[in-house]
Amino acid sequence: MAKRLFNKEFFIRSVKYNVRTLFRKEIEEATEQQIFQAVGYAVKDAIMDAWIATQKEYEKSDPKIVYYMSMEFLMGRALGNNLINLTFYDEVKEALEEIGLDLNTIEDQEPDAALGNGGLGRLAACFLDSLATLGYAAYGCGIRYRYGMFKQQIVDGYQVEVPDMWLKNGNPFELRRPEYAKTVKFGGYVRVENRNGRNMFIQEGYQSVLAVPVDLPIVGYGNNVINTLRIWDAEAINSFELDRFDKGEYEKAVEQENLARNLVEVLYPNDNHMAGKELRLKQQYFFVSASVQEAIAKYKKKHSDIRKFYEKATFQLNDTHPTVAVAELMRILMDEEGLEWDEAWDVTTKTCAYTNHTIMAEALEKWPIELFSRLLPRIYQIVEEINRRFVNQIQEQYPGNYEKVKKMAIIMDGQVKMAHLAIVAGYSVNGVARLHTEILKKQELKDFYEMMPQKFNNKTNGITQRRFLLHGNPLLAKWVTAHVGDEWITDLPKIKELTLYVDDEKAQHEFMNIKYQNKVRLAKYIKEHNNIDVDPRSIFDVQVKRLHEYKRQLMNILHVMYLYNQIKEHPDMDFYPRTFIFGAKAAAGYMRAKLTIKLINSVADVINNDASINGKLKVVFIEDYRVSNAEWIFAAADVSEQISTASKEASGTGNMKFMLNGAVTLGTMDGANVEIVEEVGEENAFIFGMSAEEVIALENQGGYDPSQLFNTDQDIRHVLMQLINGEYSPNDPERFRELYNALLVDGGYNRPDPYFILKDFRSYAEAQKRVEAAYRDEKGWARMAMLNVAHAGKFTSDRTIQEYVDDIWKLDKVTVELPEEAK
Ligand code: KOT
């Protein structure tokens, strides 16, 4: 990979100049935040030439473009990542040191761009990194939320949500581009007018809002390719004209002002859950309409035949959230470009493709007709017509089978089903791990798979090794490079050559020492943030991810309670010191999830303050788990907890980040865990619990009766009783009754323990015993952890993106040369 030249003197001058012009200060007087801003602008400057060159190259060679449409882009911090991908990181670090500045401290000044909830949003961010690195023309299309994912504070053990003012100090990397603004219309009614024998559909009485694009550079690794994440901001179209006294006009102006302000105010903080709010649908249509308009405008600059749009553009719908794109494209092609229905449908069904990320029923998007048609009257007409034609098709293929219509129609029971729309209008439907795709084909989307099997395909998720190894774990990255060369940075399967060293004692020793140093780094963070002392020689056992019942953080903490009981009952038992680390945000309205956070913190309080157990057990809840601290956490983990109820976690991506950083998976055969085990070998992971097939079979029988376990298993009963006897809540013994009831009485879906926590408990505890035994064998553990790193090659998002390109998008590869004067 060509390394661009870095001009140290120029960069230092640029930083100093920025401090002066932005803040009227010399470096010595500037605050840390001001230094970050100055360095950020200097880095954006360094990006600019390549950004311009990339766009010029795209204009010249006219490659097919993928528009990755997503309500979420969980980007994290940009500064360090941009430097890594510019291949300037070490040089900039050195240059800053010369003028007395520390790059890590500066990086810590940057707020995370948390425009996403969890896995789905972070996947979008990893995909953008890989698209730029592989040299494909791509736009991320999303929303510039004023407030991203809330900041989590833990107060008295409870989660408190605090607004995320990530734009408070401005964002040095963004570029506002008002000259490309688009108008988006909501509400009103559709008037049909016959002009020259053709029906025209004219929306009237609507409210409109201006969508203003804000661009963020996406730096490819060492290749001069800079793609664009385009996030749309909202502005009122005609801001107040105070001399207007016409009441109607004035009120309309106020309404439009409010619409613009509310639209992009905040990210909905729900993961794997549908927020059925009008504002959410408005957000969806807002960014989708603007993005589709933009894609068409770009196409028309070079091409005259809109019927071939799909040859130069493809829309990937990140779950159903942007599915109105289907109808918006139809609308523009028919109402503005003058195509007939069939022509427009041909283009649309060759342009749109859909990724499914979950089978959780509560996440499936369904909109009440009343709301949908009121907000998007013309779009609703088009969806109705798509539905009418599709229902005809079902009836032709399955005459007399009304069940099929009921199950498959896009509009049914007063609701618009977005997944059905996405499947019918898309040319590709993909799941995100092999097991997940098989479940889609055989269960969730069986009817659709039978009708259109050619659309279905799998794309197992991946992660970018640039952020999650090269940036997040510099010690391990250097060590890997020293052993296998640096090609893994853009060709992760090369990391497999590490297998040559797994039995080499020196290598084992170095590897474990790096892990130890990363544990020391995390222990310091924990001391600073939680004021808890943890022993970096203990096993770091980590579960970090959104809090959701199906992810079973509750099983993990119940097991901690069980271990604590064991240690108390048998003070002399052999027990290898363990630090259980949790990090998780719960949706603000998800009471059972929030109570689980309180339980974890309550258990932590008791255990961490019990001197009698000699520090054998520690429990840490890391506040405000997010991309930036995640990088440190993965680097320090020994055990990766991936313990979802089998069949429920579509893929998972944290599992891959842990693996790449040398943590060993303790998990169920769910999502991508299946493929991780396939790569690394079952003997190098700790697998337990029911299989997906067993779970689904038991669910179909209506569940199971956990009272049997309660009555026969003393240890389980002991732990459950501690939820309601005040053991961890002496002032309020009833505090955790809700969790007890969920496990033994009704946990939703009209049954106890719907996620089979108690059913899998023994198997989990036994797997944890195997973990402990394995860790005691130092060399064996080093070998196992190294093998995990060595077999992580498949899980690079570079591989995932190449598969999307080959099977779905069919993009052309582009190379970018910098002009002489910019080199
Ligand atoms: C659904 C609704 C709203 C917000 C987020 C979702 C969502 C998130 N659906 N699936 N996910 C996760 O997506 C990841 C990336 O594919 C998967 O790895 C993970 O298993 C899903 O839970």
Side-chain angles (χ1 to χ4, degrees), residues 72 117-124 127 268-275 280 318-321 355-360 362-365 431-433 436 459 461 550-551 648-656 671-672:
E72 305 191 12
N117 275 284
L120 173 141
R122 183 55 231 179
L123 184 76
F127 280 4
Y268 277 91
N270 302 311
D271 192 86
N272 265 286
H273 193 88
M274 186 209 174
R280 168 83 173 183
N318 199 21
D319 214 285
T320 55
H321 318 152
T355 304
N356 176 291
H357 293 268
T358 182
I359 60 163
M360 299 302 291
E362 60 267 35
L364 287 185
E365 284 197 300
V432 290
H436 169 62
K459 295 288 166 282
N461 284 166
Y550 83 80
K551 296 176 190 281
K648 303 297 180 208
E649 191 69 275
S651 163
T653 43
N655 46 5
M656 303 167 186

Side-chain angles (χ1 to χ4, degrees), residues 30 86 226 245 317 322 342 424 443 502 519 524 669 688 748 800:
L86 291 167
I226 314 287
F245 286 100
L317 310 179
D342 289 332
V424 171
Q443 325 256 345
V502 295
K519 288 162 81 171
K524 263 198 199 147
M669 277 298 209
F688 71 94
T800 314

